[in-house]
Amino acid sequence: MRKLCFSVLMLMMGLCAFAVQKSQNIVYINGVKYYIHTVQSGETLYSLSKSYSVNEGDIVKNNPLLKSGLKVGDNIKIPYFEEVKSKKKPMSAKKIRKTFDTHFVSKGETLYAISRKYEIPIQTIIADNPKLDPIHLRLGETILIRKKEIGSEDESGSREQWEAYRKTLNSVSEPGQAYHIVNAGETFYSLSHKFGITEEELSKLNDGLQPQNLKAGAMIKVPGNGQAETDAQSVTDSLTSLKEDIFGDRNIEEIDFRALSPSQTLNVAVMLPISRENAQPNHNYFEFYQGFLLGLDSVRVQHGYSIHVSLFNTGKECEEVERIVASDEFRSADIVIGPVYEENLYPVIRYAEKKRIPVVSPLANIEKMNSDVLFQMAPDPALKYAKISELLTPEREVTLIYTDKTDKKFEQEIMELLGDKPFHKHHYRYEHPNAVAKRVNTVSAADLTSLLGNKKDNIFVIMSDNEIDVDRVLAAIASANTSIVGRGLTEPQFMVLGNARWNRYNNIDRTIFFKDRIVFMSTYHAKRDAQVVLDFDRAYIRSFKTLPTLYSYRGYDAAKIFVPAMYNDIEYDMEGRNYTPLQTTYRFGQSEGRHNHVNQNWSKVTYNTNYTITVD
């Protein structure tokens, strides 16, 4: 009878053990993998140990609070052990390639960002990559992306899953510690102040994470109570804010700027990365500032305005920008010129929106930030070939000239420009003149006379990305033109659509640009054949004992355009007029779906056969 009772007792204990529902909730904590199990009524340490195949002691060791017993509803960590024996046959390499795409983790990339890139559930990525630590991705780490799931998850789904993972971590976090999803614009500086610790302590808490590697959407450790910190709506709002601030989908407030009266002093904040700590000065931005100062002098002489300028050295760190924005000197600004890097704009834009003052991005093309206070001097890339499209009439014949090496980016731009318009292709092959001379009655493959002698109005586009090949093709076009004219035939009508990259080539004789009637689309043009540029150059040399650069010209333009505008045109968002301080014209407007005031004008630079340059 005693033996029977013992057997019944063991059977009942076994039934209890098998009654436990094994959790599918698995996380990494400090590099160790755990099941996160929610305690149910009737469960015991014994039943949990049997179901998860771990020792009771290991469960207690990982959950110190269990010394006082299990409590229904509590989340506990149970060590995850890979099963030694698996009935499932491993997937072959061929099957893996067929089932998955491969993603290699780039620097600072987060699991949330990868989920959004492929529009795939975070849960799927975790399930398909059992050894993946979701919050500690390693540079170059390989991640399998299930092909059938690509495009199946929307933004809200990714947010919910990333928040659920954070909530799970916080439910078992150590006392005084919590997990936080980094919001757009948050920096080491702002987070350390928010959570009451130093930047060094925040770095140490996150395994030496450096400020420059902090990314929006990352999940990091911060001080706090895990349970209290698990505010789902707060984190959902954080990720919503991340999407809105980066991609410009938030509700943008329209700002009405107020012009200053002529008697008021204009306070200008100039934010430039003049130098970084323990580094040499950045001469480009120093030259920009020098040009800006000359522009201010010109404005003072012309209008008599009172102007006060404060220069702030931003370096390249967001933390330094935040410190500047919080300073008393900065907060007196009526207009901000800079910062030059888009990633540093966030705190400046948020402050400027509250104070309702303009912010000028003097050099960068802003891709993500969207605000009615933001003015961009760089022209809109989408409008690069607007003036060229007017030339693509049915009467003109377009020929794309290829060599062995192709500039793929330029080719893509030209194909987008042409759309469904007809064009021809010609492959140019260089032949040395001596080799051609040895042949009799044979036309050289390098001879382009047939292209120019078709009695059409031609547009030639050279697709090569090789300096030597570009030089040879340009020379071949000029030679063919000379040959046709020399034989008394009708002078060919043609132009060459140039690639702005050619201006960086050192070994091309620039006179060939005039012979071939080259037309460039340029973000900026300032040549010393114009009196206004010569006058500026002389003033710059007198003041700074050196020749100006394009950065100097841009700084001058910024002062000449925006300082006078603060007394007038800013009230109208500077729309409806052209500004031409030197040779480059600026015209500001808003593109569809965007609130930034972006320069809409590209310079069409034409090299004429009479050796003059026309800028449109």
Side-chain angles (χ1 to χ4, degrees), residues 18 46 64 208 214 225 267 270 274 305 394 404 463 531 533 558 593 615:
F18 286 105
Y46 178 80
L214 184 72
N225 183 314
N267 292 299
V270 180
I274 297 296
Y305 297 140
D404 291 338
M463 292 300 191
Q531 189 62 46
V533 177
V615 182

Side-chain angles (χ1 to χ4, degrees), residues 561-592:
I561 293 172
F562 288 96
V563 171
M566 289 300 294
Y567 292 90
N568 191 349
D569 292 348
I570 197 65
E571 288 194 350
Y572 310 102
D573 292 338
M574 304 179 66
E575 294 184 356
R577 62 163 296 183
N578 293 337
Y579 301 88
T580 312
L582 292 172
Q583 274 188 294
T584 297
T585 298
Y586 301 79
R587 184 174 59 252
F588 296 96
Q590 293 172 308
S591 301
E592 185 176 353

Side-chain angles (χ1 to χ4, degrees), residues 188 192 197-211 323:
F188 256 53
S192 63
I197 58 174
T198 66
E199 295 179 51
E200 291 75 16
E201 289 170 333
L202 183 60
S203 175
K204 186 176 180 181
L205 194 59
N206 289 277
D207 303 318
L209 177 67
Q210 295 302 302
R323 292 190 186 96

Side-chain angles (χ1 to χ4, degrees), residues 347-392:
V348 181
I349 292 294
R350 291 297 166 265
Y351 172 76
E353 286 179 338
K354 291 177 183 178
K355 197 176 177 184
R356 312 179 85 79
I357 62 174
V359 176
V360 179
S361 176
L363 300 167
N365 173 51
I366 305 303
E367 297 180 345
K368 299 172 183 176
M369 190 65 68
N370 188 17
S371 174
D372 196 34
V373 302
L374 184 58
F375 289 79
Q376 175 182 312
M377 294 181 69
D380 186 348
L383 301 174
K384 182 174 182 178
Y385 293 105
K387 294 176 181 177
I388 295 296
S389 63
E390 303 168 358
L391 303 176
L392 300 177

Side-chain angles (χ1 to χ4, degrees), residues 299-556:
V299 171
R300 288 190 182 102
V301 171
Q302 184 177 356
H303 299 284
Y305 297 140
S306 173
I307 307 162
H308 178 265
V309 179
S310 297
L311 174 63
F312 298 95
N313 180 20
T314 63
K316 199 177 178 181
E317 310 301 335
C318 290
E319 287 82 359
E320 183 60 28
V321 174
E322 286 210 354
R323 292 190 186 96
I324 292 170
V325 172
S327 68
D328 292 337
E329 186 179 7
F330 178 86
R331 289 177 176 266
S332 65
D334 301 304
I335 183 173
V336 182
I337 310 296
V340 300
Y341 302 113
E342 180 172 3
E343 57 265 32
N344 288 352
L345 271 171
Y346 182 90
V348 181
I349 292 294
R350 291 297 166 265
Y351 172 76
E353 286 179 338
K354 291 177 183 178
K355 197 176 177 184
R356 312 179 85 79
I357 62 174
V359 176
V360 179
S361 176
L363 300 167
N365 173 51
I366 305 303
E367 297 180 345
K368 299 172 183 176
M369 190 65 68
N370 188 17
S371 174
D372 196 34
V373 302
L374 184 58
F375 289 79
Q376 175 182 312
M377 294 181 69
D380 186 348
L383 301 174
K384 182 174 182 178
Y385 293 105
K387 294 176 181 177
I388 295 296
S389 63
E390 303 168 358
L391 303 176
L392 300 177
T393 61
E395 293 77 25
R396 282 192 167 96
E397 187 160 298
V398 178
T399 301
L400 311 184
I401 301 176
Y402 285 84
T403 63
D404 291 338
K405 295 182 179 180
T406 302
D407 186 328
K408 294 297 184 182
K409 183 178 179 182
F410 186 50
E411 181 184 43
Q412 181 182 354
E413 291 178 347
I414 297 303
M415 289 305 181
E416 290 175 358
L417 169 66
L418 292 172
D420 57 359
K421 296 181 177 67
F423 61 90
H424 301 279
K425 289 185 178 182
H426 179 85
H427 192 94
Y428 172 87
R429 290 182 177 85
Y430 174 73
E431 288 186 294
H432 194 279
N434 292 341
V436 177
K438 292 178 181 179
R439 299 199 305 263
V440 180
N441 299 324
T442 303
V443 178
S444 169
D447 187 351
L448 299 182
T449 304
S450 61
L451 294 184
L452 275 72
N454 58 9
K455 298 182 180 180
K456 299 285 185 69
D457 192 351
N458 293 287
I459 297 178
F460 300 122
V461 190
I462 303 171
M463 292 300 191
S464 178
D465 70 346
N466 180 275
E467 180 175 358
I468 294 175
D469 286 342
V470 170
D471 185 46
R472 286 170 173 170
V473 175
L474 291 175
I477 292 173
S479 176
N481 180 53
T482 301
S483 175
I484 292 172
V485 173
R487 297 201 305 268
L489 302 176
T490 303
E491 183 177 0
Q493 298 298 307
F494 71 95
M495 58 168 278
V496 175
L497 177 55
N499 185 338
R501 286 182 56 196
W502 298 353
N503 285 313
R504 298 198 294 269
Y505 291 162
N506 297 319
N507 298 314
I508 294 180
D509 182 358
R510 292 300 189 267
T511 59
I512 202 76
F513 288 179
F514 296 99
K515 293 179 180 179
D516 284 350
R517 310 161 199 185
I518 289 180
V519 175
F520 287 110
M521 296 311 303
S522 177
T523 59
Y524 196 85
H525 182 80
K527 298 293 183 184
R528 294 182 175 92
D529 59 350
Q531 189 62 46
V532 66
V533 177
L534 282 172
D535 291 342
F536 173 81
D537 287 357
R538 292 190 184 103
Y540 192 92
I541 293 169
R542 281 197 306 269
S543 299
F544 306 113
K545 313 305 180 198
T546 185
L547 276 171
T549 65
L550 284 177
Y551 284 90
S552 312
Y553 296 141
R554 272 294 175 90
Y556 179 83

Side-chain angles (χ1 to χ4, degrees), residues 127-368:
D128 288 336
N129 298 271
K131 295 184 179 181
L132 181 73
D133 183 344
I135 65 174
H136 293 104
L137 303 186
R138 303 186 306 276
L139 177 64
E141 184 174 9
T142 302
I143 296 179
L144 297 178
I145 304 295
R146 188 171 289 271
K147 293 180 180 180
K148 288 185 178 180
E149 294 287 328
I150 293 175
S152 67
E153 187 61 271
D154 59 15
E155 176 75 21
S156 62
S158 292
R159 288 202 308 267
E160 290 171 4
Q161 291 164 34
W162 200 218
E163 155 57 15
Y165 192 85
R166 186 193 79 100
K167 187 174 181 180
T168 298
L169 287 174
N170 276 350
S171 70
V172 292
S173 62
E174 298 175 11
Q177 215 175 80
Y179 289 86
H180 171 79
I181 295 176
V182 178
N183 190 10
E186 286 186 325
T187 64
F188 256 53
Y189 179 76
S190 64
L191 288 170
S192 63
H193 278 259
K194 178 177 181 179
F195 292 103
I197 58 174
T198 66
E199 295 179 51
E200 291 75 16
E201 289 170 333
L202 183 60
S203 175
K204 186 176 180 181
L205 194 59
N206 289 277
D207 303 318
L209 177 67
Q210 295 302 302
Q212 64 270 23
N213 296 328
L214 184 72
K215 301 292 183 181
M219 199 177 298
I220 63 171
K221 291 180 187 176
V222 294
N225 183 314
Q227 298 289 348
E229 181 66 15
T230 310
D231 180 355
Q233 187 58 47
S234 171
V235 176
T236 299
D237 290 345
S238 170
L239 287 172
T240 301
S241 176
L242 165 63
K243 175 177 182 289
E244 290 171 346
D245 285 325
I246 289 180
F247 297 106
D249 289 343
R250 63 193 174 98
N251 293 323
I252 307 295
E253 180 185 3
E254 291 190 5
I255 305 295
D256 292 324
F257 299 111
R258 294 184 61 183
L260 277 66
S261 68
S263 61
Q264 286 182 282
T265 297
L266 173 66
N267 292 299
V268 183
V270 180
M271 306 181 74
L272 299 171
I274 297 296
S275 66
R276 302 181 68 176
E277 187 177 357
N278 300 322
Q280 293 294 320
N282 189 316
H283 293 291
N284 291 336
Y285 302 119
F286 194 68
E287 289 156 0
F288 176 94
Y289 184 60
Q290 289 175 328
F292 188 83
L293 293 177
L294 280 186
L296 288 184
D297 288 342
S298 176
V299 171
R300 288 190 182 102
V301 171
Q302 184 177 356
H303 299 284
Y305 297 140
S306 173
I307 307 162
H308 178 265
V309 179
S310 297
L311 174 63
F312 298 95
N313 180 20
T314 63
K316 199 177 178 181
E317 310 301 335
C318 290
E319 287 82 359
E320 183 60 28
V321 174
E322 286 210 354
R323 292 190 186 96
I324 292 170
V325 172
S327 68
D328 292 337
E329 186 179 7
F330 178 86
R331 289 177 176 266
S332 65
D334 301 304
I335 183 173
V336 182
I337 310 296
V340 300
Y341 302 113
E342 180 172 3
E343 57 265 32
N344 288 352
L345 271 171
Y346 182 90
V348 181
I349 292 294
R350 291 297 166 265
Y351 172 76
E353 286 179 338
K354 291 177 183 178
K355 197 176 177 184
R356 312 179 85 79
I357 62 174
V359 176
V360 179
S361 176
L363 300 167
N365 173 51
I366 305 303
E367 297 180 345
K368 299 172 183 176

